[in-house]
Amino acid sequence: MLKQMLGCCKVYISESRNKAALEVIEKAAKLYPNSPVVNKFEDEIYNRVGYTLVSEMGQNPISCSLKSCVFEMVKVAFEEIDLETHSGTHPRLGVVDHICFHSLGGISLDHVAETAKSLAADVGSKLQVATFLYGAAHHEGRSLDSIRREFGYFKPNSTGNQWTSGPRSEYLRLTPDEGPPQALQRKGVLVIGAIRWVDNYNIPIFSNDMTTVRKISRRVSGRGGGLAAVQSMALAHGNKVIEVACNLLEPSRIGGDEVQLHVERLAKEERVEVGKGYYTDLSQDILVEKYFELIRTAKDALAKVD
């Protein structure tokens, strides 16, 4: 399957229950048919939605359809969603919590990093949102989790393992790369980066014992002495379900199957039951296939109109 000059952007928005807001965001995306939303993953308990867009990038990484499309989605999201009324069991730093660019082949990581930096500059100046860069988009290659730790991202700020409202203070512990040095509580802050492909794999554990599941989660992650290139955290996911949510930083080296077996071994030691895990997005190959299908369908529809 041809992958030349294709870029991918994942946009994570802190909302899934307000369907009207999501409809407006998706309507904005449809204005850019050359950069279609290839996959959408919603989770009402987490109150979070992830959109995956794929597009041909062209030679100019700054003036491209993908950047324009994502900017319009972000703009509408800030207009339609108020972080002060938000709550969910997934952490977040802003209305648009996280945007990540990837190369799908034919272009370099540096190419999509330039797109990420240009998008951040526009969000910061035109939308007045404090924006932080990471990965190849940051001059020192700063990591996403290092930014999140500075903001206390991984610690629930409400009862029931919930995250609610916006930042508790306008004061920012880090200086934004773009935008104002303060955070508006209704908007929060935004993190934008460019990195190699990451798979997200969540494994349900049927328990309400957060202490036990956090112990398992720590032992899964590379940071906790577990699997290399795996990041994980425990997130409440409904009645008697806590998920071990994992970022697989090198999925060709350690994939979901290996993580699943490791969690099952640890859960057996703790005497808790484990369910089958799931990916929150499509594989790179399937994303590319679906992208070309969508483009062909759009061209066929246009030809019929003509």
Side-chain angles (χ1 to χ4, degrees):
M1 179 64 71
L2 182 66
K3 294 184 181 179
Q4 288 187 336
M5 299 302 289
L6 289 183
C8 171
C9 183
K10 298 189 177 187
V11 182
Y12 297 95
I13 296 175
S14 302
E15 184 59 70
S16 66
R17 302 167 189 167
N18 185 342
K19 304 303 181 182
L22 299 186
E23 287 178 6
V24 179
I25 293 168
E26 291 160 23
K27 183 177 180 181
K30 289 178 181 177
L31 297 174
Y32 299 85
N34 291 329
S35 300
V37 173
V38 179
N39 193 50
K40 173 185 176 183
F41 182 81
E42 290 181 90
D43 194 305
E44 290 208 8
I45 297 173
Y46 287 153
N47 202 4
R48 182 179 175 91
V49 61
Y51 294 102
T52 303
L53 297 87
V54 177
S55 179
E56 287 195 53
M57 295 295 291
Q59 296 297 326
N60 189 336
I62 295 175
S63 177
C64 64
S65 173
L66 183 59
K67 174 196 154 186
S68 298
C69 182
V70 174
F71 178 82
E72 288 302 318
M73 292 176 72
V74 170
K75 178 183 176 182
V76 171
F78 283 121
E79 292 171 350
E80 296 293 324
I81 300 168
D82 184 348
L83 195 61
E84 290 190 271
T85 64
H86 178 274
S87 66
T89 61
H90 195 291
R92 73 289 173 277
L93 294 178
V95 165
V96 184
D97 177 59
H98 174 210
I99 295 174
C100 187
F101 287 85
H102 305 281
S103 167
L104 289 180
I107 54 174
S108 67
L109 182 59
D110 287 339
H111 191 100
V112 293
E114 289 301 316
T115 307
K117 288 189 283 187
S118 179
L119 175 65
D122 284 354
V123 170
S125 62
K126 297 177 182 179
L127 304 183
Q128 287 296 292
V129 176
T131 305
F132 299 84
L133 294 169
Y134 77 94
H138 187 260
H139 64 282
E140 294 181 349
R142 177 171 57 189
S143 67
L144 174 61
D145 66 311
S146 68
I147 299 172
R148 287 173 162 176
R149 290 183 192 284
E150 286 289 337
F151 284 106
Y153 180 90
F154 300 103
K155 297 179 180 179
N157 62 5
S158 185
T159 58
N161 295 296
Q162 296 265 334
W163 281 262
T164 62
S165 186
R168 297 308 187 196
S169 171
E170 291 187 357
Y171 171 74
L172 297 177
R173 296 178 61 178
L174 293 178
T175 301
D177 296 290
E178 301 288 350
Q182 298 86 26
L184 295 178
Q185 290 193 8
R186 70 177 306 273
K187 293 183 177 182
V189 303
L190 174 55
V191 184
I192 300 177
I195 57 173
R196 293 180 179 177
W197 187 264
V198 173
D199 276 338
N200 304 114
Y201 188 76
N202 296 351
I203 303 173
I205 295 182
F206 303 111
S207 171
N208 283 330
D209 186 349
M210 182 60 77
T211 299
T212 295
V213 182
R214 281 178 178 156
K215 179 181 177 182
I216 293 172
S217 177
R218 283 194 297 271
R219 294 178 64 191
V220 170
S221 70
R223 183 182 177 91
L227 299 173
V230 173
Q231 299 172 331
S232 59
M233 67 181 301
L235 297 173
H237 199 251
N239 184 36
K240 294 185 179 180
V241 178
I242 301 172
E243 289 192 336
V244 177
C246 301
N247 293 334
L248 313 184
L249 305 183
E250 298 179 28
S252 61
R253 177 184 172 193
I254 297 179
D257 290 344
E258 185 171 350
V259 175
Q260 179 79 36
L261 290 173
H262 193 62
V263 170
E264 288 175 359
R265 286 194 293 268
L266 296 173
K268 187 175 181 179
E269 293 177 15
E270 300 294 337
R271 298 183 179 180
V272 290
E273 184 180 354
V274 179
K276 177 60 179 174
Y278 61 93
Y279 290 98
T280 65
D281 205 348
L282 304 175
S283 69
Q284 296 178 71
D285 287 343
I286 294 177
L287 283 172
V288 172
E289 290 176 7
K290 287 195 67 175
Y291 164 74
F292 283 121
E293 288 175 6
L294 289 169
I295 293 298
R296 282 195 297 268
T297 300
K299 288 181 178 179
D300 291 345
L302 186 60
K304 289 180 180 179
V305 172
D306 292 342

